[in-house]
Amino acid sequence: MSRGIFFSEDDARTAIARLRREGYDADLGRELLAGEDDDEDHPWAVTTDAPDIVLELLVDDLDGWFDDEQPAPPRLPPLDLPTAPKRVKRPQ
């Protein structure tokens, strides 16, 4: 799913209408920003199944921004660490 962020509710609703008219699913929500106290200042988030390029062009046209959600990198297995300190000198 791709996300476009808009500061205007009208722009977000326009984006949804255009995406749906082109046959894509689109949903509207609020993007809650950390530290933002005023609920009215939260930007609007449009999530859609449209290809990224379609949403990027739409966001450019309506003065929003494209939220490129990159999946988290795969977790690596834990390192095999030694259980005792390494000896520098040979035992006598």
Side-chain angles (χ1 to χ4, degrees):
M1 294 291 264
S2 301
R3 288 181 353 138
I5 308 297
F6 301 90
F7 283 104
S8 164
E9 181 180 6
D10 292 336
D11 288 344
R13 292 197 183 280
T14 300
I16 286 180
R18 286 170 63 178
L19 288 166
R20 288 181 178 164
R21 188 171 48 241
E22 293 177 15
Y24 302 109
D25 287 332
D27 294 313
L28 181 64
R30 295 303 290 262
E31 180 66 18
L32 303 178
L33 301 176
E36 185 63 49
D37 294 336
D38 188 4
D39 287 341
E40 296 301 317
D41 286 340
H42 293 298
W44 295 88
V46 174
T47 55
T48 181
D49 64 346
D52 289 349
I53 189 67
V54 171
L55 185 58
E56 283 185 63
L57 293 172
L58 187 58
V59 163
D60 285 343
D61 188 38
L62 296 173
D63 294 327
W65 82 82
F66 180 73
D67 186 20
D68 187 15
E69 288 184 359
Q70 295 294 327
R75 297 199 63 143
L76 299 175
L79 296 174
D80 185 25
L81 299 174
T83 57
K86 186 175 181 180
R87 294 183 101 42
V88 178
K89 298 180 180 179
R90 288 188 292 187
Q92 295 179 350

